[in-house]
Amino acid sequence: MNDAYATLGITWTLANTTHTVNSDWFNKVGPDASEQTDMKKALRQGGVADLNIQLWLWRWSSCYSGAPADDGVVILYSSLPGGTASPYNLGATLTHEAGHWVGLYHTFQGGCSGSGDSISDTPPEAEPAYGCPTGRDTCSGGGVDPIHNYMDYSDDSCMTEFTAGQATRVQSQMYTYRRVVIAGQSQDLDDSIDM
């Protein structure tokens, strides 16, 4: 994951690993399930700048102030490298979900119209990519679809990049919502935001 985030100026450091056995959480946790919130509340460690990862899907950087105990990402354990969730078992699921945690949207957000993922150097994309459809262009005029971007749904083996625009957004989001200054980021940031 550090290789993927190097272009964004982020280095992840494992601070702690705990093991909890709870068959109810394992079998019922999902993006809209109350068990996910219960699990995160029970297991949450650290502060606003600490990404918690529970193995079993998403949390936005801006959600921390409203629900700090629910902060972090949850992923299917079999999506880790060597897992059985092929073609999503090379580790890119965690890279993708952590992308939401640092403030990024899907590359296909909004389809071909509107502000999309709010990043000017990410071409618009009508819908998520599956597999690795090289040369796919679902929106006219914006360039080929960003199928290699970690914020799409392409196969793990196809995901290789974040853009410079995504790096800029991450710097802003991480400072605004987590008070984390990314390496190389200007120190002249607005300190008036209430956490």
Side-chain angles (χ1 to χ4, degrees):
M1 196 157 99
N2 279 330
D3 289 344
Y5 278 87
T7 59
L8 302 183
I10 294 176
T11 300
W12 302 97
T13 303
L14 178 62
N16 189 19
T17 301
T18 63
H19 299 275
T20 302
V21 177
N22 183 315
S23 61
D24 196 42
W25 290 343
F26 184 81
N27 292 309
K28 296 181 180 178
V29 164
D32 298 317
S34 63
E35 289 85 3
Q36 178 165 301
T37 299
D38 295 342
M39 178 185 68
K40 286 181 175 180
K41 283 181 182 177
L43 301 176
R44 176 88 180 123
Q45 295 183 11
V48 66
D50 299 307
L51 171 61
N52 280 234
I53 302 166
Q54 282 88 32
L55 298 180
W56 171 97
L57 269 185
W58 60 276
R59 199 75 198 153
W60 288 99
S61 185
S62 60
C63 293
Y64 184 85
S65 63
D70 200 26
D71 187 52
V73 299
V74 180
I75 62 168
L76 185 64
Y77 72 97
S78 54
S79 69
L80 293 174
T84 59
S86 182
Y88 302 103
N89 61 344
L90 301 177
T93 298
L94 178 55
T95 303
H96 174 98
E97 296 302 331
H100 292 309
W101 189 82
V102 298
L104 297 176
Y105 294 109
H106 291 121
T107 55
F108 50 86
Q109 192 87 20
C112 296
S113 61
S115 61
D117 67 351
S118 299
I119 310 290
S120 62
D121 65 354
T122 308
E125 185 176 25
E127 58 199 22
Y130 296 96
C132 195
T134 303
R136 185 179 97 147
D137 188 359
T138 57
C139 298
S140 63
V144 296
D145 292 353
I147 64 162
H148 297 291
N149 195 287
Y150 287 108
M151 298 314 293
D152 203 342
Y153 282 177
S154 303
D155 291 358
D156 279 13
S157 61
C158 191
M159 293 183 177
T160 59
E161 66 188 18
F162 288 111
T163 68
Q166 286 173 313
T168 299
R169 179 177 172 86
V170 164
Q171 288 178 353
S172 172
Q173 294 288 299
M174 289 296 286
Y175 184 76
T176 300
Y177 295 105
R178 299 186 182 280
R179 286 294 189 247
V180 172
V181 176
I182 305 297
Q185 182 176 352
S186 170
Q187 299 293 319
D188 298 327
L189 298 167
D190 180 9
D191 285 323
S192 65
I193 300 164
D194 182 26
M195 291 300 290

